[in-house]
Amino acid sequence: MKKLLFSLALLLCGFGLSFAQDDNCFSVIAGRLATVDGSVLMGHNEDESGEQMLNIYVFPASERNLRYIWCEFPGMEVADVYMNQFGVSIASNGCPSREDMGELTDGGVLYEVRGSVAKYAHSAREAVDIIGSMVETFGYKGSGRSYIVADPLEGWVVSVVKGKHWVAQRVPDDQVMTIPNYFVIGEVDLEDEANFAGCEDLIEYALERGWYDPEKDGAFNFAKAYASEKSLKSENNITRHKEAWNYFFGQDKPGEFAAVPLKKQSLRDMMNVLSLHEPPTAEGHLENSICNDRTVLSTIFQLRAWMGFDKGCVMWNAPGHPCSQVYVPWYAGITEAPDGLGRYKSAREAEIKHMSNVKDKRKNYPDHFYWKCVDGWDIELDPSEKQKEVFKERRKFEKSNDTDFNGLIRKFY
């Protein structure tokens, strides 16, 4: 019965009867001094409506690009997540802005942003520069978005607005940042280049548009100036932000960019917070929670500087609802994905055909691994025992001299 209800929910989502797209996704970054093992931890739940199909590829390195792991949703412009061979990781949250104009050159950019970071960034800071350069050169054609980027040393939030305005803030090493689907960057100091970056006319433009009045508003606050008021007042956004703040900080006071957690965070903590949800409705739906009916992929990036990139950087993927799926570790040293995890044999072919043949995916690819995950969703299913087995294999692998990353991932799948 629950599987039937879930399928019905997906169908209704396809007709626009579920939450607005602006209320999709949730992310968190914990700095390296805020974690148990000294890693940078970044977590992300990708929420989408309609029929979605997760594909996982390893894109090979070349003279033109770095090697990277690519979690792809065919036909989607804002859903994919990546981690490259240097542990540079990227995901994003839709954050609607109040911008109703926005300058674009050559049509602007959207889908290209994440892939460019995966291909070319050697660090999170370089990822910030790449995103900023693309936005200032071409303009961002969506309403607004916050890109969440991290490497083994630090994490950043890069918020972009329709047109050519953007700002970025570094997550303090001893703090945790959480973000639903509204901007969370507040006061900005672009002279502090170690912790901020952005376009030169960020404040000037807000003044020109009447979004910021120094006498009335005091210090400039990016979120208050640029965010859609509707997104800031969204019950779904506020509820999910509160859930995370209660978990990390023991308080019902979301709003600050980041804060020092009650205790140092672990990989398990990330799994716990991404699995948080309210009790299901009478119809069996998960609504208005971090883990919800629309969660199609949950990812945690565990980025450890002291182990080297190949073994130290891990993308943990739970293909579907994290409350009932097992997180599997994808090491940065992987050079190929197991068979059956993608529509195409080649990652390059998948990139070329990302926007092609994206209707009736289940009908066209009936043997794809992801449908087992969709069909297996059950809010009463406890994946903890299987997760323990994965942890056991992971510990054994990391303590050994084994570097057969491809063999390990085949074993899990």
Side-chain angles (χ1 to χ4, degrees):
M1 182 63 178
K2 289 173 182 173
K3 294 177 184 177
L4 176 62
L5 288 170
F6 180 51
S7 298
L8 178 59
L10 285 177
L11 179 62
L12 292 175
C13 287
F15 285 98
L17 298 181
S18 186
F19 290 106
Q21 289 283 3
D22 291 342
D23 283 343
N24 287 343
C25 306
F26 191 89
S27 297
V28 54
I29 296 177
R32 56 191 174 86
L33 299 182
T35 64
V36 171
D37 63 356
S39 63
V40 173
L41 290 173
M42 183 173 89
H44 176 76
N45 274 3
E46 183 62 36
D47 302 338
E48 296 292 344
S49 59
E51 184 187 57
Q52 301 297 335
M53 182 178 75
L54 170 66
N55 295 270
I56 308 179
Y57 300 99
V58 178
F59 205 101
S62 73
E63 294 180 356
R64 299 186 302 274
N65 63 265
L66 302 171
R67 185 182 71 251
Y68 56 88
I69 302 167
W70 173 27
C71 295
E72 182 228 15
F73 289 93
M76 300 298 291
E77 289 196 288
V78 293
D80 298 355
V81 298
Y82 302 79
M83 181 181 74
N84 72 21
Q85 67 189 73
F86 293 105
V88 178
S89 306
I90 183 167
S92 77
N93 293 48
C95 296
S97 76
R98 66 195 304 178
E99 179 62 85
D100 56 359
M101 297 165 58
E103 178 187 358
L104 301 180
T105 300
D106 296 333
V109 293
L110 184 63
Y111 180 64
E112 305 90 337
V113 174
R114 262 174 279 209
S116 296
V117 166
K119 290 178 180 180
Y120 309 123
H122 295 76
S123 69
R125 188 63 181 82
E126 188 174 6
V128 173
D129 293 338
I130 289 172
I131 297 171
S133 178
M134 294 181 75
V135 170
E136 289 193 34
T137 301
F138 300 102
Y140 183 74
K141 64 183 180 183
S143 174
R145 183 157 295 272
S146 289
Y147 291 95
I148 319 301
V149 297
D151 66 17
L153 296 178
E154 61 184 2
W156 286 76
V157 177
V158 189
S159 293
V160 303
V161 177
K162 183 178 182 180
K164 299 187 176 183
H165 294 93
W166 68 282
V167 69
Q169 184 171 354
R170 184 180 186 273
V171 178
D173 291 337
D174 63 344
Q175 298 186 22
V176 172
M177 182 285 311
T178 63
I179 179 171
N181 294 108
Y182 50 51
F183 293 130
V184 295
I185 296 177
E187 293 187 14
V188 175
D189 181 5
L190 293 181
E191 293 185 0
D192 180 4
E193 296 182 357
N195 295 293
F196 292 93
C199 58
E200 292 183 358
D201 65 339
L202 184 74
I203 299 176
E204 179 184 348
Y205 183 76
L207 285 167
E208 291 176 0
R209 295 299 305 272
W211 300 339
Y212 171 54
D213 182 344
E215 294 186 3
K216 174 184 173 183
D217 302 324
F220 174 76
N221 183 296
F222 169 76
K224 291 181 180 178
Y226 279 87
S228 155
E229 185 176 358
K230 182 180 178 181
S231 71
L232 295 176
K233 293 182 178 180
S234 163
E235 178 184 352
N236 192 25
N237 281 334
I238 293 171
T239 297
R240 290 179 295 144
H241 212 177
K242 282 184 176 181
E243 284 181 333
W245 270 70
N246 274 322
Y247 187 92
F248 290 120
F249 314 115
Q251 55 180 291
D252 241 0
K253 186 193 169 186
E256 298 175 46
F257 174 71
V260 177
L262 294 173
K263 64 181 182 68
K264 292 195 173 185
Q265 300 300 301
S266 66
L267 178 65
R268 175 61 75 178
D269 286 311
M270 290 291 138
M271 293 179 177
N272 288 343
V273 78
L274 292 178
S275 300
L276 287 174
H277 56 71
E278 300 293 321
T281 65
E283 294 78 20
H285 296 307
L286 297 180
E287 299 177 352
N288 213 26
S289 297
I290 293 174
C291 173
N292 59 72
D293 279 354
R294 295 161 294 116
T295 304
V296 293
L297 172 66
S298 185
T299 304
I300 300 167
F301 302 90
Q302 183 184 23
L303 309 172
R304 299 166 293 184
W306 65 93
M307 291 183 65
F309 296 114
D310 282 357
K311 256 187 182 178
C313 299
V314 189
M315 172 195 279
W316 292 83
N317 283 324
H321 297 72
C323 63
S324 60
Q325 294 291 330
V326 176
Y327 285 89
V328 175
W330 287 72
Y331 285 83
I334 287 173
T335 59
E336 61 182 28
D339 291 339
L341 270 62
R343 292 193 297 168
Y344 306 110
K345 290 285 187 180
S346 163
R348 294 191 185 279
E349 182 181 7
E351 181 184 49
I352 294 170
K353 298 180 179 179
H354 174 71
M355 296 293 180
S356 303
N357 193 22
V358 296
K359 293 182 179 180
D360 300 322
K361 291 183 282 289
R362 185 158 191 162
K363 178 181 177 181
N364 293 330
Y365 305 98
D367 298 326
H368 196 278
F369 91 103
Y370 190 59
W371 308 129
K372 295 180 181 179
C373 304
V374 171
D375 291 343
W377 177 65
D378 186 337
I379 56 177
E380 297 179 357
L381 181 65
D382 181 2
S384 60
E385 290 304 315
K386 288 185 178 179
Q387 193 67 66
K388 288 178 183 177
E389 290 300 311
V390 173
F391 285 162
K392 182 179 178 180
E393 288 292 327
R394 184 274 308 257
R395 285 192 297 269
K396 179 181 177 182
F397 179 76
E398 291 189 352
K399 288 180 179 179
S400 72
N401 294 321
D402 190 357
T403 57
D404 184 9
F405 301 102
N406 298 338
L408 181 70
I409 201 66
R410 284 197 300 270
K411 178 186 290 188
F412 285 131
Y413 280 94

